[in-house]
Amino acid sequence: MRGRHKSKKHGGGAAALWLLLPLLVLIVLKTNLLPQVAHYSVVSSPLSAVSRDEMTGDVDATEGEQDSSGRNSDVAAPILRSKLSCNFSNHQSNTCTMEGDVRIHGKPATVYVVKASTYLPENSTIKLRPYARKWEDQVMQLVREVTMRSIPPAAGADGDPPECSVRHDVPAVVFSTGGYNRNFFHVMTDVIIPLYLTAREYNGRVQLLATDYEPKWIAKYKFILAALSAYPVIDMDSEDTVRCFPSAHVGLESHKELGIIPGLSRNGYTMVTFREFIRSAYSLQRPRVAPVSRSSGRKPRLVLILRRNSRQLKNEAEAITAGTEVGFEVVAAGPDDVSDLERFAGVANSCDVLMGVHGAGLANMLFLPDNGTVVQIIPWGELKWPCRHSFGDPVAPMGLRYLEYEATAEETTLNETYPRDHAVFTEPLAIHRQGFDKVWNIFINGQHVILDIKRFRGFMEQLYQAITTE
């Protein structure tokens, strides 16, 4: 009986609700409630706050209201709640990300995060240098500092941010072309690979802004920059424009020297995918090395990187002859050849082997086809570990093979400076214990290599056998 009584009670309530339904519909129609709900659900997305120009990626905010072009809207922009978060725990670089109402003022190198829900008075101003080598104080001092100012939600509580001059519908990435910008290894390690990690996910719809803007640097790496962004790089240092973005990154994601740690990449990027990107940027034709048959009469190509300052190959002509006699087609590449990046990328990609004495030129391994071989000539002085760290360890994750030729005490010009009973020869690690500057001045910048041609020829014969087939 209780169950039947309860059922009747609920049935009566439902009937009452049905009687009230016409009244509820009338209220909705009179108050326009449903359109308001739809409106708020749309504008709650930060990306809906700004209308954009698909072709240029920006809108001149001073042009006036336009309702048909899609560039500006006569609907007032909604009040956004912006977010700002920073990571200062990474060994390589400091980074900040932000979304919502983000305004970047170039000349003062200031980024305003307006009406930030993450605002804290003690963290309202944050500064960082957008270069991925933060542990080296000396070079970081050469990089311009960028200031981020978080403005609280309450209008006027912390001063008025500058008004937008230009609105963009794409994210911004702020980086520096300063630092070690003349050294190819450092450019790749400190800027290009981090740029790839940070900006590649946007498939070109991202605006790059550079501090310490160097036109020659931008021109040299124009193919890579164009592959990352559909828009010209903005010189932050010279323009007084206030550019507004839906989101921004200040500083670049970075994992290690000349490398990527896939587990740390948000998008699962690897050095294999990075090299595919590089080959695409330079329209390189060889994706992979095909082993050369010794009976075919063809010769594997070997590019020999030649240095002109420290760590020269003093008998480079004899080394080239030895390689040629063994069976290689040897391509000699001096500093002028390597500096022409567009042309040399194609040269390196046409080769099966890249060889050179330890130095930045070995970073051109990035242009080799998959399964190519990198040969590092290690100078005298117990340098195997640091040389492997820079140019040995990165090779396998790139899909390449690595070999090394370690110079003996007889293959260094240090013989012309120090007697053979000096610690330079008898106990090189004692020199290492005296500090990096000592190692740098003696073993890195203080010697050249004079190959023992007989020994070197034997090494080249083994290399030839390893990369060819019957």
Side-chain angles (χ1 to χ4, degrees):
M1 294 298 294
R2 286 184 179 178
R4 294 183 65 182
H5 176 73
K6 186 174 182 179
S7 175
K8 289 180 180 179
K9 182 178 179 180
H10 280 272
L17 183 61
W18 277 105
L19 290 174
L20 289 173
L21 185 59
L23 180 60
L24 291 172
V25 171
L26 181 62
I27 292 172
V28 167
L29 292 175
K30 291 290 187 180
T31 61
N32 199 27
L33 178 61
L34 288 179
Q36 288 181 10
V37 171
H39 173 70
Y40 286 124
S41 69
V42 171
V43 302
S44 63
S45 168
L47 294 177
S48 67
V50 188
S51 60
R52 314 290 171 248
D53 183 333
E54 289 286 344
M55 296 301 295
T56 64
D58 60 64
V59 176
D60 185 349
T62 63
E63 286 185 353
E65 306 297 347
Q66 301 180 23
D67 58 8
S68 60
S69 69
R71 291 170 61 85
N72 286 316
S73 171
D74 57 6
V75 177
I79 297 175
L80 301 176
R81 290 294 179 261
S82 303
K83 294 180 181 179
L84 167 64
S85 62
C86 297
N87 180 5
F88 289 85
S89 64
N90 185 286
H91 174 67
Q92 300 284 124
S93 61
N94 293 330
T95 58
C96 288
T97 60
M98 54 221 75
E99 61 181 17
D101 186 347
V102 180
R103 309 181 189 184
I104 300 179
H105 195 180
K107 274 191 175 179
T110 302
V111 180
Y112 298 88
V113 185
V114 182
K115 303 186 185 306
S117 61
T118 51
Y119 171 82
L120 292 172
E122 64 272 22
N123 292 325
S124 60
T125 299
I126 299 171
K127 298 176 182 288
L128 66 78
R129 300 179 192 273
Y131 186 75
R133 204 168 191 84
K134 76 177 192 181
W135 71 92
E136 286 198 24
D137 292 338
Q138 187 173 359
V139 71
M140 292 302 286
Q141 292 305 312
L142 303 176
V143 176
R144 189 182 186 202
E145 195 170 60
V146 175
T147 300
M148 279 144 290
R149 291 192 58 204
S150 179
I151 309 298
D158 195 30
D160 294 327
E163 293 296 324
C164 299
S165 305
V166 176
R167 294 185 184 275
H168 297 254
D169 70 338
V170 296
V173 171
V174 177
F175 70 105
S176 171
T177 63
Y180 295 125
N181 65 2
R182 302 277 194 283
N183 182 295
F184 186 66
F185 167 80
H186 283 292
V187 169
M188 290 294 126
T189 290
D190 305 339
V191 183
I192 299 299
I193 295 174
L195 263 177
Y196 171 80
L197 287 169
T198 306
R200 178 58 178 164
E201 64 185 88
Y202 299 110
N203 294 315
R205 287 197 47 80
V206 60
Q207 178 64 66
L208 305 180
L209 300 93
T211 66
D212 310 297
Y213 187 94
E214 174 56 60
K216 289 182 178 179
W217 190 100
I218 297 293
K220 183 171 183 175
Y221 298 100
K222 61 184 178 182
F223 289 99
I224 296 174
L225 296 172
L228 286 170
S229 172
Y231 317 110
V233 178
I234 291 172
D235 176 3
M236 276 187 65
D237 302 330
S238 66
E239 71 164 26
D240 205 22
T241 304
V242 179
R243 297 180 178 271
C244 295
F245 297 89
S247 63
H249 302 261
V250 178
L252 302 177
E253 180 182 345
S254 180
H255 300 164
K256 60 190 297 188
E257 303 224 316
L258 207 62
I260 292 172
I261 300 174
L264 297 181
S265 171
R266 295 187 309 276
N267 301 286
Y269 294 140
T270 68
M271 284 306 291
V272 171
T273 64
F274 174 72
R275 289 191 346 104
E276 290 172 352
F277 163 77
I278 288 291
R279 285 197 296 264
S280 174
Y282 286 95
S283 301
L284 302 180
Q285 300 303 307
R286 290 182 76 207
R288 186 172 181 83
V289 168
V292 174
S293 169
R294 294 189 287 274
S295 61
S296 69
R298 293 176 51 233
K299 295 183 176 182
R301 280 170 61 89
L302 180 150
V303 57
L304 181 62
I305 308 292
L306 302 175
R307 298 179 58 85
R308 289 292 175 260
N309 294 314
S310 60
R311 305 186 300 287
Q312 293 181 32
L313 274 181
K314 297 301 287 185
N315 52 349
E316 61 188 37
E318 294 175 83
I320 292 170
T321 298
T324 302
E325 291 176 350
V326 162
F328 287 100
E329 178 187 349
V330 179
V331 180
D336 290 340
D337 301 307
V338 173
S339 65
D340 186 348
L341 194 59
E342 181 180 356
R343 192 189 75 83
F344 188 69
V347 172
N349 184 250
S350 73
C351 293
D352 307 281
V353 181
L354 184 143
M355 174 185 287
V357 180
H358 172 78
L362 289 175
N364 287 285
M365 69 176 76
L366 290 166
F367 304 121
L368 282 176
D370 290 349
N371 204 40
T373 302
V374 178
V375 179
Q376 178 171 208
I377 299 173
I378 300 175
W380 171 255
E382 293 290 349
L383 296 178
K384 182 175 288 190
W385 180 85
C387 288
R388 281 184 178 176
H389 174 74
S390 297
F391 297 110
D393 295 344
V395 171
M398 294 186 194
L400 303 171
R401 297 188 291 179
Y402 175 74
L403 292 171
E404 59 191 28
Y405 179 96
E406 188 174 13
T408 66
E410 284 72 34
E411 296 176 287
T412 172
T413 57
L414 291 173
N415 284 302
E416 302 167 4
T417 308
Y418 299 94
R420 289 302 296 268
D421 60 353
H422 193 279
V424 163
F425 297 107
T426 62
E427 198 178 358
L429 290 178
I431 306 297
H432 286 246
R433 288 192 288 271
Q434 294 178 37
F436 176 77
D437 288 344
K438 202 76 170 179
V439 173
W440 180 266
N441 292 330
I442 294 176
F443 294 129
I444 303 296
N445 269 1
Q447 69 169 313
H448 303 300
V449 176
I450 306 175
L451 293 171
D452 178 335
I453 294 300
K454 182 178 179 180
R455 178 174 178 250
F456 180 71
R457 184 187 179 101
F459 173 84
M460 294 297 286
E461 288 173 347
Q462 293 177 6
L463 173 62
Y464 179 80
Q465 293 295 320
I467 70 166
T468 57
T469 61
E470 292 293 342

